Amino acid sequence: MSKILAINGGKPVLKKSLPFFPPSPMDNKEKKAVLRIMQSNRLSDFVAGNGEKFLGGKEIIDLEKTFTKKFKVKYSVSFNSATTALHGAIVALGIGPGDEVIVPAYSMSATASCVLMNGAVPIFADIREDNYCIDPKSILKNITPRTKAIIVVNLFGGSANFNEILKIAEKHKLKIIEDNAQAPGAKYRGKFTGTIGDIGIFSFNTHKVIQSGEGGVLVTNNKKYSFRAQLARNHGECVVDQMDEKNKEIILGSNYRLTNIQAVIAKEQILKLDSLNRQRIILADYLTSKLKDIPGIETPVLKNKNKHVYYIYPFKIKEEILGINRDKFVDAMQFEGFVLSKGYVKPIYLLPIYQKKKAFNNTSFPFKSMFYKGSPNYKKGICPVCERMYEKEFTFTTICQNPFTKKEVDLFVKAVKKIVNNKEELK
Ligand SMILES: Cc1ncc(COP(=O)(O)O)c(C=O)c1O
């Protein structure tokens, strides 16, 4: 008997696979803005010296003002990526050798490497199964006298459990950095994620909700953190030397500066954020309504009327109920024309840098040093929920992203149902 599923030679739902992570669209507004910068020849106005150009000039300040207004914060400092903004946040908070920072194990590697970059040690906490974000109970288990901060990631466009996290931070006098690279516009109990902790960071990387190719922003309501972040961004070590005594901070800075072309694109993209988010939310709700009654497929759970912005559409495959193994399901979907992820990313502590505890050439710094009294545990098994998501259950699609419409979502659902209804072919 001829087989139905495309993985077995049957006719696929789509002849040609749809793109995975289609980039956020550019239109005439971005083109016009870029042309204006090109015609001015001023591709960057930054100067690493005391004076107004230290802050990057008009285009950079314009972008930062737009961000400040949109997210209702006091200070925004642009960076050339969210990765460098994360490092700026660690520098701003004065975290360094001897310190530990608790980070979720399920995130992009930069969430943890920013800690290493400043000579401190990341300690990995497990995630919650319902929202994939850091588990407050696991934070508590990992606090030591050396803990200085928690990095909370609002993963996939949803928000973490801030009520509990803020209480823990207050009780143990810990700072909170929000890695909001994936969740611009998301809300936790009515408040923008990224603006709940002491410092928040956003990304304009090409795969993100809004993009300028590369780019990032750090936001805070604390003037000192904002100033230290500006020094981290623009060669602080030489700039402070030219400043008056009361402003002097000892900072090892770098060149984390955004160009004017990136700044004007990012500004136009922020102005489109609400409409891009709205489109994704409509499609994601539609997809949930179509998938939620399939036993063994677990769609996103939303609590407290929090606003999820679906950077990607996350879901779980429960093999024991669905009767299909996650990896087989993903492979079968790929043959039908829809790319899915097998587990997002490896739990960060399983990366070689942590397994071998070698970050700076062959030395053991900062995992073992004269400054550090701890002994971090990066053994397999420390974050069981995260490992299970990665190995067995978690997957995501980018089918709710612009330029896709209900038409593509319907075809996606058709492929899912085709596989579920013919699962015996996958045995
Ligand atoms: C959660 C998270 N944090 C940080 C980053 C780093 O962002 P960027 O590429 O702007 O450096 C990413 C990018 O994938 C991310 O997903």
Side-chain angles (χ1 to χ4, degrees), residues 81-83 86 107-108 110-111 153 179 181-182 203 205 208 215 344:
S81 68
T83 302
L86 276 167
S107 185
M108 198 253 173
T111 304
V153 183
D179 179 340
Q182 300 185 0
S203 173
N205 165 262
K208 296 300 185 294
Y344 179 46

Side-chain angles (χ1 to χ4, degrees), residues 41-54:
N41 289 332
R42 304 214 62 98
L43 303 194
S44 173
D45 287 314
F46 269 109
V47 174
N50 195 13
E52 70 187 77
K53 295 285 173 82
F54 166 62

Side-chain angles (χ1 to χ4, degrees), residues 11 14 18 49 55 60 65 70 141 143 166 168 218 225 236 275 301 309 406 415 425:
K11 191 166 168 255
L14 292 180
L18 294 177
L55 297 178
I60 294 292
K65 276 191 182 152
K70 169 77 198 158
K141 275 196 215 151
I143 293 174
L166 288 168
I168 295 171
L218 175 155
Y225 299 158
S275 85
V301 180
V309 292
K406 274 190 179 173
E425 277 194 21

